[in-house]
């Protein structure tokens, strides 16, 4: 839908965006399958776009894969940003973790992308990490967390989330909501929230993300 | 050195072992550099062995890379197994985590291998994971830990360790001992050890691993 005040996008512009999105989706499928060792022509064929179109958007295969990962993080970030604000930064942090844990089953391809690219990008400046760091610092300031080193706390949360994704992939029968909530509760406790309170915060109802995430990324 | 009672290894056997170790080292260097997208001939050249030798040891490039990762885990595991036993399984768990955190700086190439292969192999049946799971279960049984779901606890510890490795790589100025001990202390607290005790356990002196690890893996 057109934003009020913005110029209508030309047909050419729309076509360009569709081409880029198709390339990003093809790259995400390859990342999820762990098959990045392919020539560019295979990617353009999978995306059903011409070889020349590739270089209108990306300088190299590496740049496309980077964009494909960034797209996953931006999609997660957009979902979190769309949620109603809550007053307690400890709850904001917990809610993001609990939802991110549930994303793994709701968006299995993106989950496999994250598992295959590893911890480095998860600690990067896109997606969940900057939001989690912001929440940790805000919770510290509000006296809700007592974290001496927010970057160490962020690393612990990010590593825990990645390991949760792997566990949920390896054990399809595991209850994702229960595992996510347990880990969020443990993190809150480490960060200084009293145990009883941590448990209560992590059992609060969550916004309905199934509806929010139905569109998927690179749409 | 020859094990007492074992047959002397023939020259041919020794040569075979050297060739395999050279291939494994070359594969670890490529994994550490994130450059696994190379033809086999480049690996044999880097290892300074003939192309034919490759297939005496491995069926495929994937099998070699798998062996290269397994070798890292086995080397870590061998170091842990060589340490004197302690009575308290909570301390055993903490000691392994604190040492593993220090390995990252002592063995930077192996660290990069682990960071590049991701969380999946770390939760696998080699190396740290089976030992950590054993220690968690033993500590539960001894009433030192109160962990409802040992696999969830293991995932949290493994993800935290991987994120610590990334943090230590990204921030060369960060104190690895302090960060490792802090995270180990946090994990003990989550697993049910009283905070004061967790701190004390994680400030006990550690065995000198600099000497133990000097040989490196694939030796």
């Amino acid at each position: 839908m057109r934003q009020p005040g913005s110029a209508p996008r030309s047909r050419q512009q729309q076509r360009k965006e569709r081409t880029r999105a198709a390339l990003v989706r093809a790259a995400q499928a390859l990342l999820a399958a762990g098959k990045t060792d392919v020539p560019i022509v295979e990617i353009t064929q999978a995306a059903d776009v011409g070889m020349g179109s590739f270089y209108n958007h990306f300088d190299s295969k590496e740049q496309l894969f980077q964009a494909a990962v960034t797209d996953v993080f931006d999609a997660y970030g957009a979902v979190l940003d769309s949620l109603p604000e809550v007053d307690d930064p400890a709850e904001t942090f917990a809610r993001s973790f609990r939802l991110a844990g549930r994303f793994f089953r709701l968006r299995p391809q993106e989950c496999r992308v994250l598992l295959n690219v590893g911890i480095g990008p998860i600690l990067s400046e896109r997606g969940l990490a900057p939001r989690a760091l912001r929440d940790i610092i805000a919770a510290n300031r509000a006296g809700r967390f007592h974290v001496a080193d927010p970057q160490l706390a962020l690393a612990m949360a990010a590593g825990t989330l990645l390991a949760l994704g792997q566990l949920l992939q390896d054990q399809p029968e595991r209850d994702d909501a229960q595992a996510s909530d347990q880990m969020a509760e443990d993190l809150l406790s480490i960060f200084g929230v009293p145990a009883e309170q941590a448990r209560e915060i992590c059992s609060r109802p969550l916004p309905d993300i199934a509806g929010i995430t139905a569109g998927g990324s690179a749409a």
Side-chain angles (χ1 to χ4, degrees), chain A:
Chain A
M1 198 163 60
R2 188 145 80 84
Q3 294 294 311
S6 69
R9 289 177 308 161
S10 67
R11 272 173 189 237
Q12 200 196 347
Q13 184 61 27
Q14 289 175 37
R15 200 165 47 231
K16 270 191 81 165
E17 283 170 18
R18 275 199 305 272
T19 300
R20 188 181 189 284
L23 285 166
V24 164
R25 273 196 306 271
Q28 285 172 345
L30 290 166
L31 279 167
K35 290 189 192 304
T36 54
D37 186 356
V38 295
I40 288 177
V41 63
E42 259 186 53
I43 305 175
T44 54
Q45 278 169 1
D48 198 19
V49 304
M51 182 77 174
S53 298
F54 182 92
Y55 291 101
N56 290 335
H57 293 278
F58 302 103
D59 291 335
S60 65
K61 207 171 71 170
E62 287 65 37
Q63 206 187 51
L64 166 61
F65 283 125
Q66 181 59 52
V69 174
T70 300
D71 178 77
V72 171
F73 286 121
D74 287 349
Y76 274 46
V79 171
L80 295 182
D81 290 345
S82 73
L83 300 177
E85 279 195 38
V86 289
D87 286 336
D88 178 6
E91 180 176 356
T92 308
F93 174 88
R95 185 177 68 173
S96 298
F97 189 96
R98 295 169 67 205
L99 289 175
R102 287 159 170 84
F103 280 141
F104 287 122
R105 288 264 164 82
L106 285 168
R107 297 178 164 196
Q109 171 161 308
E110 294 182 4
C111 172
R112 284 192 297 272
V113 170
L114 294 187
L115 294 179
N116 284 339
V117 298
I119 188 78
I122 292 181
L123 283 171
S124 76
E125 69 279 14
R126 303 292 277 251
L128 294 168
R131 290 171 178 83
L133 189 61
R134 180 200 59 199
D135 296 338
I136 291 169
I137 291 169
N140 255 350
R141 216 174 269 145
R144 298 287 289 143
F145 286 175
H146 304 280
V147 164
D149 185 336
Q151 282 186 312
L152 212 61
L154 172 67
M156 194 158 195
T160 297
L161 182 65
L162 188 67
L164 172 61
Q166 186 70 45
L167 206 63
L168 293 175
Q169 182 175 283
D170 293 347
Q171 305 178 349
E173 73 291 355
R174 183 178 277 277
D175 184 329
D176 61 334
Q178 193 184 36
S180 307
D181 294 349
Q182 179 62 58
M183 281 179 158
E185 186 188 323
D186 288 342
L187 288 169
L188 287 194
S189 293
I190 294 178
F191 297 164
V193 176
E196 281 296 299
Q197 238 184 69
R199 167 154 310 189
E200 190 275 316
I201 288 173
C202 294
S203 60
R204 287 186 192 159
L206 287 169
D208 175 25
I209 52 162
I212 296 172
T213 60
S217 68

